[in-house]
Amino acid sequence: MTTFEKENNVVLPSKYKEWLQLSDGGEFFLPAGIQLYGIEHKPVINVNDNSRPNDDYIVIGALASGDPIICAKIAKKNSYI
């Protein structure tokens, strides 16, 4: 996890990092479904994804509608997705 953050100059939210250590991404089917990206297995987080609003954010997943799920590139202490 730390290697990914250092290589990409990001700090992921602590709860998301905990979840990635158990799953490395996955799909959820809550009424419409979402997909969260991992850091080792495809699809992986692409810190340069063009569907982010600006360089302060990264795309960490997608809604079934195709809309991105984003988080701040530098997570604040105790922040959540």
Side-chain angles (χ1 to χ4, degrees):
M1 189 69 56
T2 315
T3 303
F4 175 84
E5 290 177 309
K6 286 180 184 176
E7 288 175 354
N8 293 285
N9 194 32
V10 299
V11 177
L12 297 171
S14 60
K15 294 296 181 186
Y16 190 61
K17 288 193 284 191
E18 287 177 26
W19 184 75
L20 284 175
Q21 290 174 346
L22 299 173
S23 68
D24 194 41
E27 295 183 22
F28 301 91
F29 299 99
L30 312 167
I34 63 170
Q35 183 175 36
L36 295 175
Y37 306 149
I39 59 170
E40 293 182 19
H41 302 94
K42 292 185 179 182
V44 296
I45 296 171
N46 176 359
V47 296
N48 297 313
D49 188 310
N50 289 330
S51 55
R52 60 200 162 118
N54 61 49
D55 290 346
D56 294 334
Y57 297 92
I58 59 172
V59 176
I60 61 167
L63 300 172
S65 64
D67 293 321
I69 299 170
I70 62 172
C71 75
K73 207 177 228 183
I74 306 299
K76 293 182 174 47
K77 187 176 181 181
N78 297 323
S79 65
Y80 297 95
I81 298 175

